[in-house]
Amino acid sequence: MPKAVYRRLESTWVQMPTDETLGHDSALHTSWSRDHPPALCVDSGTTVEFDCLNDSGPRITPDTESSDLPDTEFVGHHLTGPVAVEGAEPGDVLQVDILDVAVDDWGYTLIRSGERGVGLLPEEFPDPFLYHWDIGDEVAHFEAGIEIPLAPFPGVVGVAPAEPGEHATGPPRHVGGNMDVKHLTAGSTVYLPVAVEDALFSIGDGHAAQGDGEVCVSAIETPTEITARLTLRKEMDIEAPQFETTGPFTPAGRDEPTFATMGIRDDLMDAARDAVSRLVEHLHEHRGLSREEAYVLCSVAADLKINEVVDEPNWVVSAYIADSLFPDG
Amino acid sequence: MPKAVYRRLESTWVQMPTDETLGHDSALHTSWSRDHPPALCVDSGTTVEFDCLNDSGPRITPDTESSDLPDTEFVGHHLTGPVAVEGAEPGDVLQVDILDVAVDDWGYTLIRSGERGVGLLPEEFPDPFLYHWDIGDEVAHFEAGIEIPLAPFPGVVGVAPAEPGEHATGPPRHVGGNMDVKHLTAGSTVYLPVAVEDALFSIGDGHAAQGDGEVCVSAIETPTEITARLTLRKEMDIEAPQFETTGPFTPAGRDEPTFATMGIRDDLMDAARDAVSRLVEHLHEHRGLSREEAYVLCSVAADLKINEVVDEPNWVVSAYIADSLFPDG
């Protein structure tokens, strides 16, 4: 007897059939491996509801404080899966239709440059910082009257890699995984190259909103219920993920007045660092935010765009932030 | 007696006063230098109409063919200026309000990987290729029924660098120049750090449309008439250009169904190359375009977005192309 799930269609919620439900309690894993036993086996075309923990699982809760972070052990994304797709073979393509992403009313964003040196600006932000979000129906509420429109998506969507052994969930790979593409919202379709028999699909790392780049290393991290349809596409042949999406493409989900800082360097990563560092400085000076809050805001709502990669030897990356996020915008 | 110029405001054209007009005949230069004598001297707050040649000036005309490219000498962008702004000093900021960008009915896009090795995919496109565009009122017409919405902007907006001598126009620098930011459309404002006395502002390299990345090394290159207001901001202090814009942020000027390919690598440039190479292949296979045409389409209408730069050691860059560009979209 499938559990009823609901999908948001043009602002109304309609009930849809669910073929299978997969709870994180029976299907939790925190690494990729071709040897993880499937938690569920389905035929091609099956819709599955995935009950997903937040990225860090029980390690970060609403009671966690910034001062707890140095002692927190991060073991990998808490993923739900794997799902075996009957008949999938290496060389096939798995079509993943993301039908719904429902979020919790609590979320968090953390800066953990200090102990790990991760994120785009680790030298500028040596201290751990944890921000708890109050997630409403349409927006997540930030400091200084700033509101972030919700645009939920799974940060991790992937199939098991061909290489034997266990693999960290952090880096995205050609089989997908922790891609953090903010446009994989409900209504999107992502195509993954199958690398092992039965595909072994997993999903998780729910983000209520994120900027392109996810610069401070986390989005608005939140538990999610994700509904996705898994379809085998034997006739397709791809080397890396592809996707279809309707966005949102703009920092606030639409075209609108936006401010941007630029990085102009001979290395794209250096250019990205410069652009974000300058946007942090701008938000701190002009928008009443601490530098940590500004970095968090960049991670969840600023978009990194490559403006040009051909005017040798200098490339341009800009960091965009929409005026409408601010109370006077 | 100033010439009347017109600015498009919400789809209607209204006459506006022009303080100064600067023709390319009297103000052409193809390098940056603090020693170029100003072609015009203005007070802060002056609006100037710049009559600009296309990027390559008379070296590319509607009669030029692909086979002419190997013998064509490219000497630098054909810029209009410099304009001296009275009272500007190093450390000041020049605010440039871009009020109007009017384009010609002819434009071109070229692949010149062959003789120069430029562009994002020089090895894949060794032969020179020149495409002539028919530019209409709203769109530029391409092959296979594809239409590119016009979103004109100057590829080059800058002030003279502090370093003595002549400098190539190709690379963008901290004082601006060939930034190729497609969002510097009419209605945008760009802020440039002044590096020399009188600022010495120049503009040009008109693009009727461009994708983020400008991957094949040219946009829809076209002659333009650009109206801009130059205002000194002595109280500001910036290290690199900043800007305000209303977009367009999407490949086709709005949020809409879009297809994307991904590059997942430990270097952002490698990731960008992979994403574009895969989009070229996709457009060739599924959209009836030659590989050269597909590369051109990527340069003028596909957007490169940095999806994440923190999931070490692999970064994600995606190349987006809007469904609506195609006749069945």
Side-chain angles (χ1 to χ4, degrees):
Chain A
M1 182 78 167
K3 178 181 163 194
V5 299
Y6 296 82
R7 175 181 177 189
R8 187 155 56 175
L9 286 175
E10 293 173 8
S11 302
T12 65
W13 292 81
V14 297
Q15 188 173 350
M16 57 180 298
T18 301
D19 296 327
E20 302 286 355
T21 302
L22 193 57
H24 61 78
D25 48 349
S26 64
L28 181 69
H29 60 103
T30 57
S31 66
W32 291 104
S33 172
R34 58 181 301 154
D35 299 321
H36 285 328
L40 186 72
C41 297
V42 301
D43 290 327
S44 173
T46 301
T47 297
V48 181
E49 184 189 346
F50 298 84
D51 179 18
C52 297
L53 293 179
N54 70 66
D55 165 13
S56 306
R59 287 164 176 79
I60 305 279
T61 73
D63 297 327
T64 307
E65 296 176 11
S66 296
S67 57
D68 297 328
L69 291 180
D71 299 324
T72 303
E73 188 195 9
F74 294 96
V75 298
H77 296 86
H78 288 61
L79 305 180
T80 301
V83 175
V85 182
E86 180 69 29
E89 297 169 302
D92 292 348
V93 170
L94 185 65
Q95 172 179 337
V96 183
D97 297 305
I98 298 170
L99 302 177
D100 183 57
V101 183
V103 299
D104 200 46
D105 60 1
W106 162 76
Y108 67 92
T109 302
L110 55 78
I111 302 174
R112 51 192 177 104
S113 311
E115 89 275 24
R116 296 276 299 271
V118 293
L120 193 62
L121 304 176
E123 291 82 7
E124 293 191 33
F125 293 91
D127 300 321
F129 180 81
L130 178 64
Y131 187 82
H132 291 283
W133 294 86
D134 166 23
I135 302 179
D137 288 341
E138 302 284 337
V139 300
H141 303 280
F142 198 52
E143 302 304 297
I146 296 169
E147 296 183 336
I148 312 295
L150 301 187
F153 70 98
V156 175
V157 186
V159 290
E163 297 73 19
E166 285 199 87
H167 303 272
T169 61
R173 299 184 178 84
H174 284 78
V175 287
N178 190 26
M179 300 184 290
D180 287 324
V181 175
K182 65 174 271 187
H183 308 113
L184 299 185
T185 45
S188 299
T189 295
V190 57
Y191 302 92
L192 301 171
V194 172
V196 302
E197 200 177 341
D198 296 335
L200 297 181
F201 173 83
S202 298
I203 195 166
D205 187 29
H207 294 166
Q210 183 202 290
D212 282 320
E214 201 193 11
V215 294
C216 92
V217 92
S218 56
I220 299 180
E221 309 288 334
T222 183
T224 44
E225 292 205 353
I226 300 170
T227 309
R229 184 170 51 233
L230 305 178
T231 307
L232 215 44
R233 295 289 299 270
K234 289 209 164 267
E235 82 289 4
M236 285 181 72
D237 180 19
I238 60 177
E239 297 170 90
Q242 298 181 342
F243 56 94
E244 291 157 4
T245 182
T246 55
F249 294 108
T250 68
R254 50 193 182 278
D255 283 357
E256 54 180 25
T258 293
F259 173 80
T261 51
M262 300 173 69
I264 302 178
R265 295 284 290 270
D266 60 3
D267 177 86
L268 278 172
M269 186 61 85
D270 289 341
R273 280 198 190 97
D274 281 3
V276 172
S277 180
R278 286 164 184 151
L279 187 54
V280 166
E281 204 52 40
H282 173 87
L283 293 168
H284 176 53
E285 274 185 31
H286 299 285
R287 295 294 189 175
L289 299 176
S290 74
R291 295 186 70 254
E292 285 74 17
E293 289 168 351
Y295 192 27
V296 163
L297 186 63
C298 287
S299 201
V300 307
D303 284 325
L304 287 177
K305 290 176 80 73
I306 296 178
N307 301 105
E308 64 83 8
V309 281
V310 294
D311 298 330
E312 52 182 355
N314 289 346
W315 326 130
V316 177
V317 173
S318 297
Y320 293 71
I321 191 100
D323 290 356
S324 68
L325 299 177
F326 303 94
D328 61 350
Chain B
M1 181 75 167
K3 179 181 163 194
V5 299
Y6 296 82
R7 174 182 178 189
R8 187 155 56 173
L9 286 175
E10 293 171 7
S11 303
T12 64
W13 292 81
V14 296
Q15 188 172 351
M16 56 180 299
T18 300
D19 296 326
E20 303 285 353
T21 302
L22 193 58
H24 61 78
D25 47 350
S26 63
L28 181 69
H29 61 103
T30 57
S31 66
W32 290 104
S33 172
R34 57 180 302 154
D35 299 322
H36 285 327
L40 185 72
C41 297
V42 300
D43 290 326
S44 172
T46 301
T47 298
V48 180
E49 184 190 347
F50 298 84
D51 178 18
C52 298
L53 293 178
N54 70 66
D55 167 13
S56 305
R59 286 165 176 79
I60 305 280
T61 73
D63 297 328
T64 308
E65 296 176 9
S66 296
S67 57
D68 297 326
L69 291 180
D71 299 324
T72 302
E73 187 194 10
F74 293 97
V75 297
H77 296 86
H78 288 61
L79 305 180
T80 301
V83 175
V85 181
E86 181 68 29
E89 296 169 303
D92 292 348
V93 169
L94 185 66
Q95 171 180 337
V96 182
D97 297 305
I98 298 170
L99 303 177
D100 184 57
V101 183
V103 299
D104 201 46
D105 60 1
W106 163 77
Y108 67 92
T109 302
L110 54 79
I111 302 173
R112 54 194 175 101
S113 311
E115 88 273 22
R116 295 277 299 270
V118 293
L120 193 63
L121 305 175
E123 291 82 8
E124 292 191 33
F125 293 91
D127 300 321
F129 180 79
L130 178 65
Y131 188 81
H132 291 282
W133 294 86
D134 166 24
I135 302 179
D137 288 340
E138 303 285 337
V139 300
H141 303 280
F142 198 52
E143 302 304 296
I146 295 168
E147 296 183 335
I148 311 295
L150 302 188
F153 70 97
V156 175
V157 186
V159 291
E163 297 73 20
E166 285 199 86
H167 303 272
T169 61
R173 300 184 178 85
H174 285 78
V175 287
N178 190 26
M179 301 185 289
D180 288 323
V181 175
K182 65 175 271 189
H183 308 113
L184 299 185
T185 45
S188 300
T189 296
V190 57
Y191 302 93
L192 302 171
V194 173
V196 303
E197 201 177 340
D198 296 336
L200 298 180
F201 173 83
S202 298
I203 197 167
D205 187 29
H207 294 167
Q210 182 202 293
D212 282 320
E214 200 193 13
V215 294
C216 92
V217 94
S218 55
I220 300 180
E221 310 287 333
T222 182
T224 44
E225 291 205 353
I226 300 170
T227 309
R229 185 171 51 233
L230 305 178
T231 307
L232 214 47
R233 296 289 297 270
K234 289 211 164 264
E235 81 288 5
M236 286 181 72
D237 180 20
I238 59 177
E239 298 170 271
Q242 298 181 343
F243 56 94
E244 291 155 6
T245 181
T246 54
F249 294 108
T250 67
R254 52 194 179 278
D255 283 356
E256 56 180 22
T258 293
F259 173 80
T261 52
M262 299 172 71
I264 301 178
R265 295 283 291 269
D266 61 2
D267 177 88
L268 278 172
M269 185 63 85
D270 288 341
R273 281 197 189 97
D274 280 3
V276 172
S277 180
R278 286 164 184 152
L279 188 54
V280 165
E281 205 51 41
H282 174 88
L283 292 169
H284 176 53
E285 273 185 31
H286 299 284
R287 295 294 189 176
L289 299 176
S290 74
R291 296 187 70 254
E292 285 74 17
E293 289 168 351
Y295 192 28
V296 163
L297 185 63
C298 287
S299 201
V300 307
D303 283 325
L304 286 177
K305 291 177 80 72
I306 296 178
N307 300 106
E308 65 83 9
V309 282
V310 294
D311 298 331
E312 52 183 355
N314 288 346
W315 326 129
V316 177
V317 173
S318 297
Y320 294 70
I321 191 102
D323 290 356
S324 68
L325 299 177
F326 303 94
D328 60 351

